[in-house]
Amino acid sequence: MALERTFSIIKPDATERNLTGAINAKFEEAGLRIVAQKRIHMTQAQAGKFYDVHAERPFYGELCEFMSRSPVVVQVLEGENAVAKNREVMGATNPAEADAGTVRKEFAQSIGENSVHGSDSAENAAIEIAYFFAGIELVG
């Protein structure tokens, strides 16, 4: 198994309900270590640039508005096969289809307000980490 890093966002629907600690506990219980973390309030422009890959999709505008409505927690998680492990801990995008015990099953309010974002590959994790963090902020 490979030690790797992945990117995670605790989304506005979760930060508004003060769930940061509970979600972080799930990551840590799964063997992921938080090596960088900060609370930020993205502008719609920042959210738009981050989610640019979805610019042509019908939900893009709503997504950018949602991600900029309240603060989020951006973080870098490290562990064995961190990308896959984080996606397992998050659960399916649709909370109705998520496995018991996953973040989305326990905390998501809907498909759109699903509490967390996680990188889908090591390559995208590197891009997403660099968007929010300088190398000096990663303290493994």
Side-chain angles (χ1 to χ4, degrees):
M1 293 196 182
L3 185 67
E4 63 186 9
R5 289 181 172 168
T6 192
F7 178 74
S8 171
I9 300 177
I10 300 176
K11 294 181 179 182
D13 64 293
T15 63
E16 290 166 355
R17 292 178 291 142
N18 204 29
L19 296 173
T20 301
I23 292 171
N24 282 343
K26 289 198 165 288
F27 293 142
E28 291 177 334
E29 287 165 10
L32 295 167
R33 188 164 53 131
I34 300 165
V35 297
Q37 181 181 69
K38 57 187 167 184
R39 184 180 179 94
I40 64 169
H41 196 154
M42 277 193 271
T43 64
Q44 279 199 11
Q46 290 168 324
K49 185 174 178 187
F50 180 75
Y51 284 108
D52 187 55
V53 66
H54 299 302
E56 300 302 318
R57 298 218 167 143
F59 60 81
Y60 176 73
E62 185 179 335
L63 174 63
C64 294
E65 188 174 310
F66 165 61
M67 291 300 291
S68 62
R69 84 175 184 206
S70 298
V72 298
V73 174
V74 293
Q75 55 193 3
V76 180
L77 306 174
E78 182 179 79
E80 295 291 328
N81 296 312
V83 172
K85 178 58 72 177
N86 181 38
R87 295 188 70 76
E88 178 184 317
V89 172
M90 288 190 312
T93 302
N94 182 345
E97 298 172 0
D99 291 338
T102 62
V103 170
R104 289 178 173 149
K105 187 64 163 187
E106 291 190 19
F107 304 121
Q109 296 180 304
S110 66
I111 293 173
E113 294 192 5
N114 60 23
S115 299
V116 286
H117 161 89
S119 300
D120 62 1
S121 67
E123 295 77 24
N124 282 338
I127 293 166
E128 293 175 346
I129 290 167
Y131 187 76
F132 290 102
F133 292 96
I136 196 168
E137 295 177 289
L138 306 176
V139 289

PDB file of all heavy atoms in Angstrom, residues 44-53 60 64 131:
ATOM      1  N   GLN A  44     -17.763  33.331  -4.752  1.00  0.00           N
ATOM      2  CA  GLN A  44     -18.332  32.562  -5.862  1.00  0.00           C
ATOM      3  C   GLN A  44     -17.294  32.377  -6.959  1.00  0.00           C
ATOM      4  O   GLN A  44     -17.243  31.322  -7.591  1.00  0.00           O
ATOM      5  CB  GLN A  44     -19.597  33.230  -6.411  1.00  0.00           C
ATOM      6  CG  GLN A  44     -20.806  32.921  -5.572  1.00  0.00           C
ATOM      7  CD  GLN A  44     -22.114  33.159  -6.315  1.00  0.00           C
ATOM      8  OE1 GLN A  44     -22.154  33.366  -7.508  1.00  0.00           O
ATOM      9  NE2 GLN A  44     -23.196  33.110  -5.568  1.00  0.00           N
ATOM     10  N   ALA A  45     -16.429  33.380  -7.165  1.00  0.00           N
ATOM     11  CA  ALA A  45     -15.383  33.269  -8.182  1.00  0.00           C
ATOM     12  C   ALA A  45     -14.391  32.164  -7.823  1.00  0.00           C
ATOM     13  O   ALA A  45     -13.975  31.384  -8.692  1.00  0.00           O
ATOM     14  CB  ALA A  45     -14.666  34.602  -8.351  1.00  0.00           C
ATOM     15  N   GLN A  46     -14.001  32.074  -6.565  1.00  0.00           N
ATOM     16  CA  GLN A  46     -13.076  31.018  -6.130  1.00  0.00           C
ATOM     17  C   GLN A  46     -13.719  29.645  -6.283  1.00  0.00           C
ATOM     18  O   GLN A  46     -13.084  28.700  -6.745  1.00  0.00           O
ATOM     19  CB  GLN A  46     -12.647  31.243  -4.679  1.00  0.00           C
ATOM     20  CG  GLN A  46     -11.733  32.424  -4.492  1.00  0.00           C
ATOM     21  CD  GLN A  46     -11.572  32.795  -3.026  1.00  0.00           C
ATOM     22  OE1 GLN A  46     -12.504  32.698  -2.219  1.00  0.00           O
ATOM     23  NE2 GLN A  46     -10.378  33.245  -2.663  1.00  0.00           N
ATOM     24  N   ALA A  47     -14.975  29.533  -5.878  1.00  0.00           N
ATOM     25  CA  ALA A  47     -15.688  28.260  -6.026  1.00  0.00           C
ATOM     26  C   ALA A  47     -15.816  27.909  -7.505  1.00  0.00           C
ATOM     27  O   ALA A  47     -15.643  26.750  -7.895  1.00  0.00           O
ATOM     28  CB  ALA A  47     -17.062  28.343  -5.365  1.00  0.00           C
ATOM     29  N   GLY A  48     -16.102  28.910  -8.329  1.00  0.00           N
ATOM     30  CA  GLY A  48     -16.228  28.678  -9.765  1.00  0.00           C
ATOM     31  C   GLY A  48     -14.953  28.160 -10.384  1.00  0.00           C
ATOM     32  O   GLY A  48     -14.978  27.239 -11.211  1.00  0.00           O
ATOM     33  N   LYS A  49     -13.833  28.740  -9.985  1.00  0.00           N
ATOM     34  CA  LYS A  49     -12.545  28.268 -10.520  1.00  0.00           C
ATOM     35  C   LYS A  49     -12.243  26.847 -10.026  1.00  0.00           C
ATOM     36  O   LYS A  49     -11.787  26.002 -10.793  1.00  0.00           O
ATOM     37  CB  LYS A  49     -11.427  29.228 -10.118  1.00  0.00           C
ATOM     38  CG  LYS A  49     -10.099  28.865 -10.739  1.00  0.00           C
ATOM     39  CD  LYS A  49      -9.039  29.901 -10.447  1.00  0.00           C
ATOM     40  CE  LYS A  49      -7.725  29.461 -11.059  1.00  0.00           C
ATOM     41  NZ  LYS A  49      -6.616  30.326 -10.680  1.00  0.00           N
ATOM     42  N   PHE A  50     -12.513  26.598  -8.752  1.00  0.00           N
ATOM     43  CA  PHE A  50     -12.247  25.268  -8.204  1.00  0.00           C
ATOM     44  C   PHE A  50     -13.079  24.201  -8.911  1.00  0.00           C
ATOM     45  O   PHE A  50     -12.592  23.122  -9.226  1.00  0.00           O
ATOM     46  CB  PHE A  50     -12.522  25.240  -6.698  1.00  0.00           C
ATOM     47  CG  PHE A  50     -12.267  23.900  -6.078  1.00  0.00           C
ATOM     48  CD1 PHE A  50     -10.969  23.469  -5.851  1.00  0.00           C
ATOM     49  CD2 PHE A  50     -13.309  23.055  -5.737  1.00  0.00           C
ATOM     50  CE1 PHE A  50     -10.713  22.218  -5.304  1.00  0.00           C
ATOM     51  CE2 PHE A  50     -13.070  21.814  -5.184  1.00  0.00           C
ATOM     52  CZ  PHE A  50     -11.762  21.392  -4.968  1.00  0.00           C
ATOM     53  N   TYR A  51     -14.352  24.492  -9.155  1.00  0.00           N
ATOM     54  CA  TYR A  51     -15.263  23.530  -9.771  1.00  0.00           C
ATOM     55  C   TYR A  51     -15.388  23.726 -11.286  1.00  0.00           C
ATOM     56  O   TYR A  51     -16.359  23.278 -11.896  1.00  0.00           O
ATOM     57  CB  TYR A  51     -16.647  23.607  -9.111  1.00  0.00           C
ATOM     58  CG  TYR A  51     -16.690  22.953  -7.757  1.00  0.00           C
ATOM     59  CD1 TYR A  51     -16.783  23.703  -6.599  1.00  0.00           C
ATOM     60  CD2 TYR A  51     -16.630  21.566  -7.624  1.00  0.00           C
ATOM     61  CE1 TYR A  51     -16.830  23.109  -5.346  1.00  0.00           C
ATOM     62  CE2 TYR A  51     -16.665  20.955  -6.378  1.00  0.00           C
ATOM     63  CZ  TYR A  51     -16.766  21.734  -5.247  1.00  0.00           C
ATOM     64  OH  TYR A  51     -16.803  21.130  -4.013  1.00  0.00           O
ATOM     65  N   ASP A  52     -14.404  24.355 -11.891  1.00  0.00           N
ATOM     66  CA  ASP A  52     -14.426  24.636 -13.328  1.00  0.00           C
ATOM     67  C   ASP A  52     -14.674  23.393 -14.189  1.00  0.00           C
ATOM     68  O   ASP A  52     -15.276  23.474 -15.252  1.00  0.00           O
ATOM     69  CB  ASP A  52     -13.113  25.307 -13.751  1.00  0.00           C
ATOM     70  CG  ASP A  52     -13.150  25.779 -15.182  1.00  0.00           C
ATOM     71  OD1 ASP A  52     -14.068  26.542 -15.516  1.00  0.00           O
ATOM     72  OD2 ASP A  52     -12.268  25.368 -15.967  1.00  0.00           O
ATOM     73  N   VAL A  53     -14.257  22.237 -13.716  1.00  0.00           N
ATOM     74  CA  VAL A  53     -14.462  20.990 -14.452  1.00  0.00           C
ATOM     75  C   VAL A  53     -15.955  20.725 -14.677  1.00  0.00           C
ATOM     76  O   VAL A  53     -16.336  20.022 -15.603  1.00  0.00           O
ATOM     77  CB  VAL A  53     -13.772  19.806 -13.729  1.00  0.00           C
ATOM     78  CG1 VAL A  53     -14.420  19.512 -12.394  1.00  0.00           C
ATOM     79  CG2 VAL A  53     -13.756  18.566 -14.599  1.00  0.00           C
ATOM     80  N   TYR A  60     -23.828  23.605 -12.035  1.00  0.00           N
ATOM     81  CA  TYR A  60     -22.622  24.386 -11.749  1.00  0.00           C
ATOM     82  C   TYR A  60     -22.914  25.677 -10.974  1.00  0.00           C
ATOM     83  O   TYR A  60     -22.293  25.952  -9.951  1.00  0.00           O
ATOM     84  CB  TYR A  60     -21.884  24.698 -13.050  1.00  0.00           C
ATOM     85  CG  TYR A  60     -20.680  25.581 -12.913  1.00  0.00           C
ATOM     86  CD1 TYR A  60     -19.507  25.105 -12.343  1.00  0.00           C
ATOM     87  CD2 TYR A  60     -20.705  26.901 -13.364  1.00  0.00           C
ATOM     88  CE1 TYR A  60     -18.390  25.919 -12.228  1.00  0.00           C
ATOM     89  CE2 TYR A  60     -19.595  27.714 -13.254  1.00  0.00           C
ATOM     90  CZ  TYR A  60     -18.448  27.217 -12.681  1.00  0.00           C
ATOM     91  OH  TYR A  60     -17.349  28.017 -12.566  1.00  0.00           O
ATOM     92  N   CYS A  64     -21.676  26.504  -7.118  1.00  0.00           N
ATOM     93  CA  CYS A  64     -20.811  27.630  -6.750  1.00  0.00           C
ATOM     94  C   CYS A  64     -21.475  28.527  -5.708  1.00  0.00           C
ATOM     95  O   CYS A  64     -20.817  29.000  -4.775  1.00  0.00           O
ATOM     96  CB  CYS A  64     -20.431  28.431  -7.985  1.00  0.00           C
ATOM     97  SG  CYS A  64     -19.403  27.489  -9.139  1.00  0.00           S
ATOM     98  N   TYR A 131      -4.365  24.327  -5.001  1.00  0.00           N
ATOM     99  CA  TYR A 131      -5.296  25.452  -5.138  1.00  0.00           C
ATOM    100  C   TYR A 131      -5.496  26.174  -3.803  1.00  0.00           C
ATOM    101  O   TYR A 131      -5.653  27.391  -3.762  1.00  0.00           O
ATOM    102  CB  TYR A 131      -6.646  24.959  -5.668  1.00  0.00           C
ATOM    103  CG  TYR A 131      -7.616  26.076  -6.001  1.00  0.00           C
ATOM    104  CD1 TYR A 131      -7.472  26.840  -7.156  1.00  0.00           C
ATOM    105  CD2 TYR A 131      -8.676  26.372  -5.148  1.00  0.00           C
ATOM    106  CE1 TYR A 131      -8.356  27.861  -7.458  1.00  0.00           C
ATOM    107  CE2 TYR A 131      -9.578  27.390  -5.449  1.00  0.00           C
ATOM    108  CZ  TYR A 131      -9.409  28.138  -6.595  1.00  0.00           C
ATOM    109  OH  TYR A 131     -10.292  29.153  -6.898  1.00  0.00           O
TER     110      TYR A 131
END
